[in-house]
Amino acid sequence: MVYAIVKAGGRQEKVSVGDVVVVDRLKGAEGDSVELEPILLVDGDKVTSEATDLKKITVTAEIVRDEKGPKITILKFKNKTGYRRRLGHRQRLTRLKVTGIK
């Protein structure tokens, strides 16, 4: 089985062909092709981790859709002063489908 560890959206993800991964928002429209930076490649028993060999390898993925993560609620409270603050956050994400590792 061939898989790669790629750097995508500030995190590292383990991917193989056909996998669907969710990463931080990437620029591009649905159906666009994106190239991900490989950090490690495993092809059966052979492991490739040297930078010179990894420059020859390309990991391509297709943008499936843009989406948002779960709502996170932030509450700030200070006792005896009447200070209350309520904030929310939803991370913007992109769903990718890996199309090739060459």
Side-chain angles (χ1 to χ4, degrees), residues 2-101:
V2 178
Y3 68 88
I5 307 293
V6 296
K7 191 173 186 179
R11 291 189 301 266
Q12 296 177 3
E13 300 279 345
K14 177 183 173 183
V15 297
S16 59
V17 177
D19 284 355
V20 177
V21 293
V22 179
V23 298
D24 288 345
R25 180 72 54 97
L26 298 173
K27 292 183 181 179
E30 284 186 22
D32 285 355
S33 184
V34 177
E35 196 167 300
L36 302 173
E37 179 186 343
I39 297 172
L40 179 83
L41 177 75
V42 176
D43 186 3
D45 293 335
K46 184 181 175 191
V47 177
T48 306
S49 63
E50 292 185 29
T52 55
D53 296 335
L54 289 173
K55 288 191 181 202
K56 301 172 190 170
I57 297 167
T58 58
V59 178
T60 55
E62 176 186 338
I63 296 177
V64 177
R65 68 173 179 262
D66 290 334
E67 52 190 49
K68 288 184 178 180
K71 179 83 168 190
I72 297 172
T73 306
I74 300 120
L75 297 172
K76 295 183 178 183
F77 174 81
K78 292 200 177 183
N79 196 15
K80 299 178 186 170
T81 62
Y83 176 78
R84 291 184 181 97
R85 187 163 184 203
R86 186 173 149 198
L87 296 169
H89 174 77
R90 289 186 75 179
Q91 186 70 29
R92 289 169 174 77
L93 304 169
T94 300
R95 187 172 292 267
L96 300 174
K97 182 174 183 180
V98 179
T99 56
I101 300 174

